[in-house]
Amino acid sequence: MQPELPPHHRALILEDRAAGFELKTRPTATADAGSAIVRIAAAPIVSYYKHVLRHYPFPLPFVGGYSGIGRVVAVGPDAVALAPGQLVYVDCVVRARDDPDAFFLSGVIEGFSEGSRKLMRDGGWRETFGTFAEYTRVPLENCIPLNEARLCGELGYSVPELASMIIMLVPYGGLRDVKVEPGDTVAVCPATGGFSSAGVQVAVAMGARVIAMARSEGKLAALKEHLRAAAPTADIETVVITGDVQADSDALRRFGPLDVVLELTPGTVSGTTHTRSALKALRRGGRVSLMGSAEGIDAMEIVTNDIVLRGKQMYGREDIVQFFKMLERGLFPRGSHLDVRTFKLEEWKEALDVAAEHAGLGKGAVFVL
Ligand SMILES: NC(=O)c1ccc[n+]([C@@H]2O[C@H](COP(=O)([O-])OP(=O)(O)OC[C@H]3O[C@@H](n4cnc5c(N)ncnc54)[C@H](OP(=O)(O)O)[C@@H]3O)[C@@H](O)[C@H]2O)c1
């Protein structure tokens, strides 16, 4: 027997980009074939979400969100593993069932192909799927069951803490894609943003030696101190970006040639030099995961040094499953090493402001519903 769903619930809906969200009460969807209804408990707020709402391509109206953590309350008739009551991770990447290469990010972007745009516009998910909502209708395959007893019991994570940590999936997707091995030396550039500092954390958990690059010496020192406090054996070094490509590359090379570069440059900036510096410091045959808006790549350097350059958008289901195994094994910080600010849906304006400032290692802003 499935519990009764409330006829209505509240959600943050965007109808007008300039006006921002409206907190609306709307009918609760029911679970049909291929979907589950999840009571969202907590959903993280991406640090640059105000920019997303203003500029990313997606049709209106739409429900805000990214991914989230919640409890299954109803499942469609074709569900064979999910059941009401289960705590699940809800993933925002919606893939076309007849072409997984076409996908959009619920609450974020419609994607870049005709198929992904069609899926978001006409696929029936946009109106009902979004994690800034008390109840949401999710594709079954986007619900990943969590080991609640281990994560929240033995390891002591709160649900908002878990929600803040799921942004690590993005850099994990890139690092896994370029096959980072324990012992590799990995430069993360830049390294003090929301997703990028998560990249530092994940690379350390994967057993890499990490060289974090950023403009601010103070922020880098704080990042190193935070990481060492949470994981005393973490192998982390820092390099300040000065803008002098050769000097910054030499500074990286002082730690030995790099095996891997993880790039996560914000799309809102230009004239950056860190990707070029980092690529110059790679060993022959080094690997690069480009996940942001990299600039200044020199094709000749790539060719002459046998560099493997891979772009990566998000991650796949196997990455998600593997990531939660790492989390369950206790490979990430807990307790006082996490500083998560929580907000109610009605506090969305303040929440988006705080999310922009309160990003970085161990930090995050989360809606608690
Ligand atoms: N491929 C994917 O699937 C995927 C998924 C999610 C996000 N992304 C991309 O990842 C990007 C980064 O995400 P995020 O959360 O880390 O963003 P963020 O929090 O906005 O990033 C801020 C970081 O960028 C640095 N920065 C800002 N301006 C700079 C400049 N002019 N030169 C050098 N560094 C500069 C900041 O350094 P300071 O501390 O010095 O200010 C800080 O390290 C996003 O913009 C998005 O495009 C990609």
Side-chain angles (χ1 to χ4, degrees), residues 46-48 56 66 105 167 170-171 190-197 213-216 219 241 263-274 290-293 312-315 355-356 359-360:
V46 170
S47 65
Y48 51 91
Y56 276 29
Y66 178 64
L105 272 53
I167 67 165
V170 165
T192 50
F195 286 106
S196 58
S197 65
M213 285 186 90
R215 297 177 299 178
S216 157
K219 283 190 192 177
I241 300 167
E263 177 279 330
L264 272 155
T265 311
T268 46
V269 303
S270 61
T272 57
T273 55
H274 49 255
L290 297 177
M291 298 199 80
S293 300
K312 185 66 183 168
Q313 184 79 31
M314 303 304 275
Y315 40 77

mmCIF file of all heavy atoms in Angstrom, residues 46-48 56 66 105 167 170-171 190-197 213-216 219 241 263-274 290-293 312-315 355-356 359-360, ligand 1:
data_model
loop_
_atom_site.group_PDB
_atom_site.id
_atom_site.type_symbol
_atom_site.label_atom_id
_atom_site.label_comp_id
_atom_site.label_asym_id
_atom_site.label_seq_id
_atom_site.Cartn_x
_atom_site.Cartn_y
_atom_site.Cartn_z
ATOM 1 N N VAL A 46 23.421 25.628 -5.955
ATOM 2 C CA VAL A 46 24.684 25.849 -6.679
ATOM 3 C C VAL A 46 25.137 27.298 -6.437
ATOM 4 O O VAL A 46 24.306 28.219 -6.425
ATOM 5 C CB VAL A 46 24.448 25.577 -8.187
ATOM 6 C CG1 VAL A 46 25.611 26.012 -9.030
ATOM 7 C CG2 VAL A 46 24.131 24.093 -8.406
ATOM 8 N N SER A 47 26.448 27.507 -6.255
ATOM 9 C CA SER A 47 26.949 28.843 -5.860
ATOM 10 C C SER A 47 26.586 29.926 -6.871
ATOM 11 O O SER A 47 26.346 31.064 -6.510
ATOM 12 C CB SER A 47 28.468 28.793 -5.654
ATOM 13 O OG SER A 47 29.112 28.501 -6.879
ATOM 14 N N TYR A 48 26.517 29.572 -8.154
ATOM 15 C CA TYR A 48 26.233 30.588 -9.178
ATOM 16 C C TYR A 48 24.792 30.453 -9.699
ATOM 17 O O TYR A 48 24.510 30.744 -10.852
ATOM 18 C CB TYR A 48 27.247 30.481 -10.340
ATOM 19 C CG TYR A 48 27.385 29.076 -10.897
ATOM 20 C CD1 TYR A 48 26.606 28.634 -11.956
ATOM 21 C CD2 TYR A 48 28.291 28.181 -10.344
ATOM 22 C CE1 TYR A 48 26.724 27.349 -12.457
ATOM 23 C CE2 TYR A 48 28.420 26.894 -10.823
ATOM 24 C CZ TYR A 48 27.634 26.491 -11.880
ATOM 25 O OH TYR A 48 27.741 25.216 -12.362
ATOM 26 N N TYR A 56 20.926 30.852 -18.154
ATOM 27 C CA TYR A 56 21.011 29.521 -18.766
ATOM 28 C C TYR A 56 19.765 29.265 -19.627
ATOM 29 O O TYR A 56 18.667 29.704 -19.275
ATOM 30 C CB TYR A 56 21.133 28.440 -17.677
ATOM 31 C CG TYR A 56 22.553 28.226 -17.182
ATOM 32 C CD1 TYR A 56 23.489 29.247 -17.183
ATOM 33 C CD2 TYR A 56 22.958 26.975 -16.712
ATOM 34 C CE1 TYR A 56 24.791 29.040 -16.723
ATOM 35 C CE2 TYR A 56 24.256 26.770 -16.246
ATOM 36 C CZ TYR A 56 25.160 27.807 -16.255
ATOM 37 O OH TYR A 56 26.434 27.594 -15.802
ATOM 38 N N TYR A 66 18.389 21.453 -8.267
ATOM 39 C CA TYR A 66 19.615 20.823 -8.805
ATOM 40 C C TYR A 66 19.345 19.344 -8.537
ATOM 41 O O TYR A 66 18.357 18.829 -9.047
ATOM 42 C CB TYR A 66 20.858 21.381 -8.088
ATOM 43 C CG TYR A 66 22.143 20.748 -8.545
ATOM 44 C CD1 TYR A 66 22.579 20.893 -9.855
ATOM 45 C CD2 TYR A 66 22.906 19.993 -7.681
ATOM 46 C CE1 TYR A 66 23.747 20.272 -10.286
ATOM 47 C CE2 TYR A 66 24.080 19.380 -8.103
ATOM 48 C CZ TYR A 66 24.481 19.520 -9.394
ATOM 49 O OH TYR A 66 25.632 18.908 -9.810
ATOM 50 N N LEU A 105 19.364 19.062 -17.516
ATOM 51 C CA LEU A 105 19.564 19.105 -16.067
ATOM 52 C C LEU A 105 18.349 19.784 -15.446
ATOM 53 O O LEU A 105 18.153 20.985 -15.634
ATOM 54 C CB LEU A 105 20.838 19.883 -15.714
ATOM 55 C CG LEU A 105 22.148 19.118 -15.657
ATOM 56 C CD1 LEU A 105 22.411 18.341 -16.927
ATOM 57 C CD2 LEU A 105 23.297 20.069 -15.368
ATOM 58 N N ILE A 167 27.329 17.749 -4.551
ATOM 59 C CA ILE A 167 27.967 18.467 -5.667
ATOM 60 C C ILE A 167 29.324 17.841 -6.014
ATOM 61 O O ILE A 167 29.853 18.081 -7.090
ATOM 62 C CB ILE A 167 28.105 19.984 -5.401
ATOM 63 C CG1 ILE A 167 29.086 20.277 -4.279
ATOM 64 C CG2 ILE A 167 26.761 20.647 -5.135
ATOM 65 C CD1 ILE A 167 29.507 21.744 -4.260
ATOM 66 N N VAL A 170 30.029 15.984 -9.514
ATOM 67 C CA VAL A 170 30.470 16.596 -10.778
ATOM 68 C C VAL A 170 31.978 16.398 -10.985
ATOM 69 O O VAL A 170 32.395 15.782 -11.978
ATOM 70 C CB VAL A 170 30.058 18.083 -10.844
ATOM 71 C CG1 VAL A 170 30.813 18.812 -11.943
ATOM 72 C CG2 VAL A 170 28.553 18.199 -11.062
ATOM 73 N N PRO A 171 32.831 16.883 -10.065
ATOM 74 C CA PRO A 171 34.266 16.628 -10.294
ATOM 75 C C PRO A 171 34.615 15.146 -10.270
ATOM 76 O O PRO A 171 35.553 14.725 -10.964
ATOM 77 C CB PRO A 171 34.948 17.387 -9.145
ATOM 78 C CG PRO A 171 33.890 17.633 -8.131
ATOM 79 C CD PRO A 171 32.599 17.726 -8.879
ATOM 80 N N PRO A 190 40.366 26.414 -11.403
ATOM 81 C CA PRO A 190 40.748 26.928 -10.094
ATOM 82 C C PRO A 190 40.285 25.938 -9.032
ATOM 83 O O PRO A 190 39.650 24.946 -9.361
ATOM 84 C CB PRO A 190 39.995 28.258 -10.008
ATOM 85 C CG PRO A 190 38.784 28.071 -10.868
ATOM 86 C CD PRO A 190 39.204 27.133 -11.959
ATOM 87 N N ALA A 191 40.535 26.267 -7.750
ATOM 88 C CA ALA A 191 40.265 25.246 -6.725
ATOM 89 C C ALA A 191 39.464 25.775 -5.537
ATOM 90 O O ALA A 191 39.303 25.053 -4.558
ATOM 91 C CB ALA A 191 41.593 24.669 -6.224
ATOM 92 N N THR A 192 38.991 27.015 -5.609
ATOM 93 C CA THR A 192 38.313 27.553 -4.428
ATOM 94 C C THR A 192 36.834 27.832 -4.672
ATOM 95 O O THR A 192 36.182 28.501 -3.866
ATOM 96 C CB THR A 192 39.018 28.839 -3.940
ATOM 97 O OG1 THR A 192 39.192 29.729 -5.055
ATOM 98 C CG2 THR A 192 40.363 28.528 -3.328
ATOM 99 N N GLY A 193 36.269 27.376 -5.788
ATOM 100 C CA GLY A 193 34.839 27.569 -6.057
ATOM 101 C C GLY A 193 34.014 26.444 -5.438
ATOM 102 O O GLY A 193 34.532 25.594 -4.706
ATOM 103 N N GLY A 194 32.714 26.440 -5.737
ATOM 104 C CA GLY A 194 31.837 25.400 -5.201
ATOM 105 C C GLY A 194 32.200 24.037 -5.744
ATOM 106 O O GLY A 194 32.650 23.144 -5.008
ATOM 107 N N PHE A 195 32.034 23.850 -7.049
ATOM 108 C CA PHE A 195 32.349 22.550 -7.651
ATOM 109 C C PHE A 195 33.856 22.283 -7.630
ATOM 110 O O PHE A 195 34.280 21.140 -7.465
ATOM 111 C CB PHE A 195 31.836 22.483 -9.092
ATOM 112 C CG PHE A 195 30.345 22.324 -9.188
ATOM 113 C CD1 PHE A 195 29.529 23.376 -9.572
ATOM 114 C CD2 PHE A 195 29.735 21.119 -8.880
ATOM 115 C CE1 PHE A 195 28.147 23.235 -9.650
ATOM 116 C CE2 PHE A 195 28.359 20.958 -8.946
ATOM 117 C CZ PHE A 195 27.566 22.019 -9.337
ATOM 118 N N SER A 196 34.657 23.341 -7.821
ATOM 119 C CA SER A 196 36.096 23.077 -7.942
ATOM 120 C C SER A 196 36.731 22.689 -6.611
ATOM 121 O O SER A 196 37.587 21.793 -6.567
ATOM 122 C CB SER A 196 36.822 24.265 -8.582
ATOM 123 O OG SER A 196 36.637 25.450 -7.854
ATOM 124 N N SER A 197 36.300 23.294 -5.496
ATOM 125 C CA SER A 197 36.875 22.858 -4.209
ATOM 126 C C SER A 197 36.399 21.441 -3.890
ATOM 127 O O SER A 197 37.122 20.653 -3.270
ATOM 128 C CB SER A 197 36.512 23.828 -3.082
ATOM 129 O OG SER A 197 35.134 23.824 -2.862
ATOM 130 N N MET A 213 45.107 25.240 -7.399
ATOM 131 C CA MET A 213 45.499 26.549 -7.965
ATOM 132 C C MET A 213 44.379 27.550 -7.766
ATOM 133 O O MET A 213 43.213 27.241 -8.034
ATOM 134 C CB MET A 213 45.708 26.432 -9.475
ATOM 135 C CG MET A 213 46.952 25.750 -9.925
ATOM 136 S SD MET A 213 47.053 25.904 -11.739
ATOM 137 C CE MET A 213 47.961 27.443 -11.921
ATOM 138 N N ALA A 214 44.701 28.759 -7.342
ATOM 139 C CA ALA A 214 43.705 29.831 -7.280
ATOM 140 C C ALA A 214 44.430 31.162 -7.155
ATOM 141 O O ALA A 214 45.654 31.200 -6.964
ATOM 142 C CB ALA A 214 42.747 29.612 -6.116
ATOM 143 N N ARG A 215 43.639 32.245 -7.267
ATOM 144 C CA ARG A 215 44.267 33.574 -7.256
ATOM 145 C C ARG A 215 44.634 34.032 -5.852
ATOM 146 O O ARG A 215 45.544 34.821 -5.675
ATOM 147 C CB ARG A 215 43.310 34.599 -7.876
ATOM 148 C CG ARG A 215 42.980 34.335 -9.315
ATOM 149 C CD ARG A 215 41.994 35.338 -9.828
ATOM 150 N NE ARG A 215 40.719 35.313 -9.107
ATOM 151 C CZ ARG A 215 39.710 36.109 -9.325
ATOM 152 N NH1 ARG A 215 39.801 37.035 -10.258
ATOM 153 N NH2 ARG A 215 38.586 36.014 -8.632
ATOM 154 N N SER A 216 43.879 33.588 -4.872
ATOM 155 C CA SER A 216 44.033 34.140 -3.527
ATOM 156 C C SER A 216 44.874 33.229 -2.635
ATOM 157 O O SER A 216 44.474 32.095 -2.332
ATOM 158 C CB SER A 216 42.643 34.353 -2.924
ATOM 159 O OG SER A 216 42.724 34.369 -1.523
ATOM 160 N N LYS A 219 42.854 32.284 0.496
ATOM 161 C CA LYS A 219 41.843 31.224 0.315
ATOM 162 C C LYS A 219 42.517 29.859 0.171
ATOM 163 O O LYS A 219 42.018 28.852 0.657
ATOM 164 C CB LYS A 219 40.985 31.516 -0.920
ATOM 165 C CG LYS A 219 39.932 32.587 -0.709
ATOM 166 C CD LYS A 219 38.999 32.608 -1.905
ATOM 167 C CE LYS A 219 38.122 33.826 -1.912
ATOM 168 N NZ LYS A 219 37.263 33.899 -3.106
ATOM 169 N N ILE A 241 47.787 31.611 -8.613
ATOM 170 C CA ILE A 241 47.756 32.017 -10.028
ATOM 171 C C ILE A 241 48.193 33.487 -10.095
ATOM 172 O O ILE A 241 47.521 34.365 -9.536
ATOM 173 C CB ILE A 241 46.321 31.894 -10.604
ATOM 174 C CG1 ILE A 241 45.812 30.446 -10.506
ATOM 175 C CG2 ILE A 241 46.266 32.409 -12.033
ATOM 176 C CD1 ILE A 241 44.304 30.308 -10.763
ATOM 177 N N GLU A 263 39.934 20.816 -14.737
ATOM 178 C CA GLU A 263 39.655 22.238 -14.990
ATOM 179 C C GLU A 263 38.185 22.527 -14.753
ATOM 180 O O GLU A 263 37.314 21.828 -15.277
ATOM 181 C CB GLU A 263 40.057 22.554 -16.441
ATOM 182 C CG GLU A 263 39.775 23.952 -16.904
ATOM 183 C CD GLU A 263 38.326 24.164 -17.334
ATOM 184 O OE1 GLU A 263 37.682 23.204 -17.811
ATOM 185 O OE2 GLU A 263 37.829 25.292 -17.177
ATOM 186 N N LEU A 264 37.897 23.581 -13.958
ATOM 187 C CA LEU A 264 36.503 23.957 -13.665
ATOM 188 C C LEU A 264 36.377 25.478 -13.631
ATOM 189 O O LEU A 264 35.969 26.067 -12.619
ATOM 190 C CB LEU A 264 36.066 23.351 -12.327
ATOM 191 C CG LEU A 264 35.479 21.935 -12.409
ATOM 192 C CD1 LEU A 264 35.645 21.195 -11.089
ATOM 193 C CD2 LEU A 264 34.010 21.944 -12.812
ATOM 194 N N THR A 265 36.745 26.110 -14.735
ATOM 195 C CA THR A 265 36.699 27.575 -14.803
ATOM 196 C C THR A 265 35.252 28.066 -14.921
ATOM 197 O O THR A 265 34.496 27.557 -15.748
ATOM 198 C CB THR A 265 37.477 28.059 -16.052
ATOM 199 O OG1 THR A 265 38.750 27.414 -16.067
ATOM 200 C CG2 THR A 265 37.634 29.575 -16.060
ATOM 201 N N PRO A 266 34.855 29.076 -14.108
ATOM 202 C CA PRO A 266 33.497 29.600 -14.252
ATOM 203 C C PRO A 266 33.264 30.180 -15.652
ATOM 204 O O PRO A 266 34.186 30.733 -16.257
ATOM 205 C CB PRO A 266 33.420 30.721 -13.206
ATOM 206 C CG PRO A 266 34.543 30.497 -12.275
ATOM 207 C CD PRO A 266 35.601 29.763 -13.039
ATOM 208 N N GLY A 267 32.033 30.059 -16.138
ATOM 209 C CA GLY A 267 31.695 30.593 -17.463
ATOM 210 C C GLY A 267 31.534 32.106 -17.455
ATOM 211 O O GLY A 267 31.355 32.722 -18.499
ATOM 212 N N THR A 268 31.602 32.699 -16.289
ATOM 213 C CA THR A 268 31.351 34.145 -16.182
ATOM 214 C C THR A 268 32.637 34.964 -16.272
ATOM 215 O O THR A 268 32.578 36.188 -16.205
ATOM 216 C CB THR A 268 30.703 34.444 -14.807
ATOM 217 O OG1 THR A 268 31.439 33.745 -13.794
ATOM 218 C CG2 THR A 268 29.249 33.997 -14.771
ATOM 219 N N VAL A 269 33.803 34.306 -16.397
ATOM 220 C CA VAL A 269 35.052 35.071 -16.405
ATOM 221 C C VAL A 269 35.792 34.869 -17.727
ATOM 222 O O VAL A 269 35.528 33.922 -18.462
ATOM 223 C CB VAL A 269 35.968 34.659 -15.222
ATOM 224 C CG1 VAL A 269 35.244 34.849 -13.900
ATOM 225 C CG2 VAL A 269 36.463 33.226 -15.348
ATOM 226 N N SER A 270 36.698 35.807 -18.033
ATOM 227 C CA SER A 270 37.500 35.642 -19.254
ATOM 228 C C SER A 270 38.925 36.121 -18.975
ATOM 229 O O SER A 270 39.173 36.802 -17.987
ATOM 230 C CB SER A 270 36.882 36.418 -20.414
ATOM 231 O OG SER A 270 36.845 37.780 -20.086
ATOM 232 N N GLY A 271 39.820 35.756 -19.876
ATOM 233 C CA GLY A 271 41.223 36.156 -19.726
ATOM 234 C C GLY A 271 41.979 35.310 -18.722
ATOM 235 O O GLY A 271 43.028 35.732 -18.221
ATOM 236 N N THR A 272 41.466 34.104 -18.425
ATOM 237 C CA THR A 272 42.140 33.265 -17.425
ATOM 238 C C THR A 272 43.367 32.569 -18.036
ATOM 239 O O THR A 272 43.407 32.289 -19.232
ATOM 240 C CB THR A 272 41.184 32.194 -16.867
ATOM 241 O OG1 THR A 272 40.686 31.412 -17.953
ATOM 242 C CG2 THR A 272 40.017 32.832 -16.121
ATOM 243 N N THR A 273 44.337 32.310 -17.175
ATOM 244 C CA THR A 273 45.596 31.711 -17.650
ATOM 245 C C THR A 273 45.876 30.342 -17.031
ATOM 246 O O THR A 273 46.789 29.636 -17.455
ATOM 247 C CB THR A 273 46.775 32.638 -17.273
ATOM 248 O OG1 THR A 273 46.715 32.870 -15.849
ATOM 249 C CG2 THR A 273 46.700 33.962 -18.012
ATOM 250 N N HIS A 274 45.085 29.959 -16.008
ATOM 251 C CA HIS A 274 45.468 28.776 -15.220
ATOM 252 C C HIS A 274 45.445 27.475 -16.021
ATOM 253 O O HIS A 274 46.277 26.599 -15.792
ATOM 254 C CB HIS A 274 44.586 28.653 -13.965
ATOM 255 C CG HIS A 274 43.135 28.774 -14.230
ATOM 256 N ND1 HIS A 274 42.402 29.914 -13.922
ATOM 257 C CD2 HIS A 274 42.254 27.927 -14.794
ATOM 258 C CE1 HIS A 274 41.147 29.731 -14.275
ATOM 259 N NE2 HIS A 274 41.035 28.537 -14.816
ATOM 260 N N LEU A 290 38.378 18.582 -18.935
ATOM 261 C CA LEU A 290 37.852 19.939 -19.078
ATOM 262 C C LEU A 290 36.374 19.908 -18.706
ATOM 263 O O LEU A 290 35.576 19.251 -19.371
ATOM 264 C CB LEU A 290 38.000 20.422 -20.527
ATOM 265 C CG LEU A 290 39.425 20.541 -21.066
ATOM 266 C CD1 LEU A 290 39.392 20.948 -22.537
ATOM 267 C CD2 LEU A 290 40.239 21.551 -20.260
ATOM 268 N N MET A 291 36.017 20.618 -17.629
ATOM 269 C CA MET A 291 34.615 20.613 -17.180
ATOM 270 C C MET A 291 34.022 22.014 -17.154
ATOM 271 O O MET A 291 32.820 22.183 -16.979
ATOM 272 C CB MET A 291 34.505 19.988 -15.789
ATOM 273 C CG MET A 291 34.953 18.545 -15.723
ATOM 274 S SD MET A 291 34.319 17.686 -14.280
ATOM 275 C CE MET A 291 32.651 17.270 -14.769
ATOM 276 N N GLY A 292 34.866 23.023 -17.290
ATOM 277 C CA GLY A 292 34.357 24.388 -17.225
ATOM 278 C C GLY A 292 34.605 25.135 -18.523
ATOM 279 O O GLY A 292 34.563 24.557 -19.603
ATOM 280 N N SER A 293 34.887 26.427 -18.403
ATOM 281 C CA SER A 293 35.079 27.266 -19.593
ATOM 282 C C SER A 293 36.562 27.579 -19.753
ATOM 283 O O SER A 293 37.005 28.724 -19.566
ATOM 284 C CB SER A 293 34.263 28.551 -19.453
ATOM 285 O OG SER A 293 32.895 28.246 -19.321
ATOM 286 N N LYS A 312 34.031 16.782 -20.218
ATOM 287 C CA LYS A 312 33.099 15.948 -19.457
ATOM 288 C C LYS A 312 31.920 16.781 -18.957
ATOM 289 O O LYS A 312 32.094 17.791 -18.291
ATOM 290 C CB LYS A 312 33.817 15.305 -18.263
ATOM 291 C CG LYS A 312 32.944 14.317 -17.497
ATOM 292 C CD LYS A 312 32.600 13.100 -18.328
ATOM 293 C CE LYS A 312 31.678 12.151 -17.588
ATOM 294 N NZ LYS A 312 31.133 11.115 -18.498
ATOM 295 N N GLN A 313 30.735 16.312 -19.301
ATOM 296 C CA GLN A 313 29.504 16.906 -18.793
ATOM 297 C C GLN A 313 28.939 15.962 -17.744
ATOM 298 O O GLN A 313 28.612 14.809 -18.055
ATOM 299 C CB GLN A 313 28.512 17.087 -19.957
ATOM 300 C CG GLN A 313 27.219 17.779 -19.589
ATOM 301 C CD GLN A 313 27.372 19.283 -19.485
ATOM 302 O OE1 GLN A 313 28.180 19.860 -20.184
ATOM 303 N NE2 GLN A 313 26.594 19.903 -18.630
ATOM 304 N N MET A 314 28.878 16.423 -16.514
ATOM 305 C CA MET A 314 28.297 15.681 -15.395
ATOM 306 C C MET A 314 28.958 14.307 -15.202
ATOM 307 O O MET A 314 30.163 14.223 -15.143
ATOM 308 C CB MET A 314 26.775 15.581 -15.557
ATOM 309 C CG MET A 314 26.081 16.945 -15.678
ATOM 310 S SD MET A 314 26.398 18.075 -14.309
ATOM 311 C CE MET A 314 25.147 17.561 -13.150
ATOM 312 N N TYR A 315 28.185 13.220 -15.200
ATOM 313 C CA TYR A 315 28.662 11.895 -14.786
ATOM 314 C C TYR A 315 27.598 10.890 -15.205
ATOM 315 O O TYR A 315 26.494 11.269 -15.621
ATOM 316 C CB TYR A 315 28.830 11.864 -13.253
ATOM 317 C CG TYR A 315 27.679 12.600 -12.583
ATOM 318 C CD1 TYR A 315 26.433 12.016 -12.463
ATOM 319 C CD2 TYR A 315 27.817 13.918 -12.153
ATOM 320 C CE1 TYR A 315 25.356 12.708 -11.925
ATOM 321 C CE2 TYR A 315 26.747 14.615 -11.613
ATOM 322 C CZ TYR A 315 25.517 14.007 -11.503
ATOM 323 O OH TYR A 315 24.457 14.695 -11.006
ATOM 324 N N ALA A 355 24.461 31.265 -0.810
ATOM 325 C CA ALA A 355 25.095 30.185 -1.593
ATOM 326 C C ALA A 355 26.276 30.717 -2.398
ATOM 327 O O ALA A 355 27.294 30.034 -2.546
ATOM 328 C CB ALA A 355 24.067 29.540 -2.523
ATOM 329 N N ALA A 356 26.160 31.954 -2.914
ATOM 330 C CA ALA A 356 27.236 32.532 -3.730
ATOM 331 C C ALA A 356 28.485 32.799 -2.887
ATOM 332 O O ALA A 356 29.608 32.672 -3.370
ATOM 333 C CB ALA A 356 26.754 33.822 -4.379
ATOM 334 N N ALA A 359 30.534 29.241 -0.431
ATOM 335 C CA ALA A 359 30.928 28.079 -1.247
ATOM 336 C C ALA A 359 32.388 27.789 -0.975
ATOM 337 O O ALA A 359 33.139 28.680 -0.610
ATOM 338 C CB ALA A 359 30.707 28.391 -2.721
ATOM 339 N N GLY A 360 32.780 26.572 -1.138
ATOM 340 C CA GLY A 360 34.173 26.200 -0.904
ATOM 341 C C GLY A 360 34.213 24.935 -0.085
ATOM 342 O O GLY A 360 33.172 24.367 0.257
HETATM 343 N N1 LIG B 1 30.952 19.991 -16.860
HETATM 344 C C1 LIG B 1 30.013 19.910 -15.969
HETATM 345 O O1 LIG B 1 29.268 18.930 -15.890
HETATM 346 C C2 LIG B 1 29.837 21.023 -14.974
HETATM 347 C C3 LIG B 1 28.945 20.880 -13.893
HETATM 348 C C4 LIG B 1 28.830 21.905 -12.993
HETATM 349 C C5 LIG B 1 29.558 23.086 -13.175
HETATM 350 N N2 LIG B 1 30.382 23.202 -14.256
HETATM 351 C C6 LIG B 1 31.168 24.422 -14.492
HETATM 352 O O2 LIG B 1 32.071 24.604 -13.418
HETATM 353 C C7 LIG B 1 32.243 25.974 -13.229
HETATM 354 C C8 LIG B 1 32.827 26.234 -11.865
HETATM 355 O O3 LIG B 1 31.885 25.872 -10.850
HETATM 356 P P1 LIG B 1 32.089 26.411 -9.363
HETATM 357 O O4 LIG B 1 30.939 25.976 -8.561
HETATM 358 O O5 LIG B 1 33.452 26.062 -8.887
HETATM 359 O O6 LIG B 1 31.958 27.972 -9.648
HETATM 360 P P2 LIG B 1 32.250 29.184 -8.719
HETATM 361 O O7 LIG B 1 32.017 28.836 -7.279
HETATM 362 O O8 LIG B 1 31.590 30.362 -9.283
HETATM 363 O O9 LIG B 1 33.847 29.331 -8.965
HETATM 364 C C9 LIG B 1 34.585 30.274 -8.398
HETATM 365 C C10 LIG B 1 36.065 29.918 -8.631
HETATM 366 O O10 LIG B 1 36.516 30.535 -9.820
HETATM 367 C C11 LIG B 1 37.656 31.317 -9.499
HETATM 368 N N3 LIG B 1 37.751 32.499 -10.346
HETATM 369 C C12 LIG B 1 36.820 33.463 -10.515
HETATM 370 N N4 LIG B 1 37.259 34.374 -11.390
HETATM 371 C C13 LIG B 1 38.505 33.965 -11.798
HETATM 372 C C14 LIG B 1 39.462 34.478 -12.694
HETATM 373 N N5 LIG B 1 39.247 35.603 -13.372
HETATM 374 N N6 LIG B 1 40.620 33.796 -12.846
HETATM 375 C C15 LIG B 1 40.848 32.651 -12.170
HETATM 376 N N7 LIG B 1 39.978 32.121 -11.307
HETATM 377 C C16 LIG B 1 38.807 32.768 -11.129
HETATM 378 C C17 LIG B 1 37.460 31.681 -8.043
HETATM 379 O O11 LIG B 1 38.667 32.064 -7.510
HETATM 380 P P3 LIG B 1 38.805 33.204 -6.389
HETATM 381 O O12 LIG B 1 38.621 32.431 -5.109
HETATM 382 O O13 LIG B 1 40.170 33.714 -6.587
HETATM 383 O O14 LIG B 1 37.730 34.216 -6.629
HETATM 384 C C18 LIG B 1 36.936 30.365 -7.510
HETATM 385 O O15 LIG B 1 37.993 29.440 -7.384
HETATM 386 C C19 LIG B 1 30.831 26.534 -13.462
HETATM 387 O O16 LIG B 1 30.858 27.867 -13.851
HETATM 388 C C20 LIG B 1 30.270 25.633 -14.545
HETATM 389 O O17 LIG B 1 30.404 26.228 -15.789
HETATM 390 C C21 LIG B 1 30.524 22.205 -15.139
#
